[in-house]
Amino acid sequence: MSSLLPKPQMRGLLTRRLRFHAVGAFVFCFGSALIYKFGVAEPRKRAYTEYYKNHDPVASFEALREAGVFESVRPKGK
């Protein structure tokens, strides 16, 4: 006669599985947040800082005005 299979443990199964998956979900979310912060947000912040460190808004406005972008301001040559 073959040996009988052991009975599955049903008591506390949901609690044990939820604890395991909750910890896994927390680790996954925390890891994703760190990857986004240091992979996307910080480089973007540095890029904006560098851009505005060297940005001249008056020269930018003059270039756009001469290109004819604005309807309310005519280029200097016209």
Side-chain angles (χ1 to χ4, degrees), residues 29-64:
C29 290
F30 192 71
S32 297
L34 284 176
I35 289 171
Y36 180 81
K37 177 172 175 45
F38 293 112
V40 175
E42 291 298 323
R44 185 179 292 171
K45 234 190 281 189
R46 281 194 300 271
Y48 278 122
T49 303
E50 186 64 30
Y51 173 77
Y52 283 113
K53 200 181 294 182
N54 301 323
H55 179 67
D56 183 17
V58 175
S60 178
F61 172 75
E62 293 295 331
L64 290 173

Side-chain angles (χ1 to χ4, degrees), residues 1-72:
M1 183 176 235
S2 66
S3 65
L4 297 173
L5 291 174
K7 283 186 164 183
Q9 179 188 358
M10 300 303 281
R11 187 176 305 258
L13 181 64
L14 178 63
T15 306
R16 191 177 62 221
R17 288 180 58 86
L18 281 178
R19 188 178 306 131
F20 174 76
H21 286 97
V23 169
F26 178 77
V27 169
F28 177 76
C29 290
F30 192 71
S32 297
L34 284 176
I35 289 171
Y36 180 81
K37 177 172 175 45
F38 293 112
V40 175
E42 291 298 323
R44 185 179 292 171
K45 234 190 281 189
R46 281 194 300 271
Y48 278 122
T49 303
E50 186 64 30
Y51 173 77
Y52 283 113
K53 200 181 294 182
N54 301 323
H55 179 67
D56 183 17
V58 175
S60 178
F61 172 75
E62 293 295 331
L64 290 173
R65 181 166 84 174
E66 293 303 317
V69 173
F70 303 119
E71 293 180 8
S72 61

